[in-house]
Amino acid sequence: PYIDNKIIDNKIIRSNYIPSNKERESNKSVAYEIKETYNRTFEGILPEWKRLSDKMAIKVGACIMRYGRQSVDLVFEQIQHEPFSLGENNTGFRADFDFIFKLENFEKYLSRYKLRISGKQRQESAKPIEQPKPSNGSWLDAINKDPNWRPK
């Protein structure tokens, strides 16, 4: 009998669940699409991912099941903002497909994306304080000049 592998907390767990062929093909096609997106996005920057194994398709599927398909695009965007992940470091490290889709690493990239975006939004929402416009002699100006001033 066929035993399906699942990833739980970055460990492959064997289960007795037997997915249908349609389900397996659907998961593999989504993972293949993501592999192609990765290769296009990071062409010439990160190592090309050529072979998509069943184990790798399960890892990709685990990330999508937990965080949704859009999260992959957000993680790829975050990686583009991290010179270290792109190989600009002293060790020669570059984040390849396998590294990115390790659930722990995927979560870290996603949380750094959220921090970066929330920081941008805070910067954009912080407007400079406008200087008060000169007035034409209102009672407020009179109080500011002489705290003992009282209206007549």
Side-chain angles (χ1 to χ4, degrees), residues 21 33 114-115 120-121:
N21 286 340
E33 173 194 328
K114 290 176 182 175
L115 284 172
K120 265 188 185 177
Q121 288 172 344

Side-chain angles (χ1 to χ4, degrees), residues 133-145:
K133 296 177 183 173
S135 73
N136 55 2
S138 69
W139 62 270
L140 189 55
D141 289 335
I143 290 175
N144 287 334
K145 288 179 185 173

Side-chain angles (χ1 to χ4, degrees), residues 6-13 55 58-59 62-63 66 98-108:
K6 301 249 182 222
I7 294 185
I8 299 174
D9 295 325
N10 280 330
K11 295 178 186 167
I12 295 181
I13 308 295
K55 182 179 176 182
I58 291 170
K59 282 183 171 184
C63 293
R66 186 170 283 187
D98 190 41
F99 179 84
I100 293 166
F101 284 98
K102 183 178 177 189
L103 194 56
E104 178 182 314
N105 297 334
F106 191 87
E107 290 171 343
K108 287 178 184 178

Side-chain angles (χ1 to χ4, degrees), residues 21-38:
N21 286 340
K22 186 177 180 181
E23 214 174 4
R24 285 181 60 79
E25 287 305 312
S26 173
N27 289 339
K28 191 120 182 184
S29 68
V30 170
Y32 180 80
E33 173 194 328
I34 289 170
K35 177 188 82 110
E36 291 300 310
T37 302
Y38 165 87

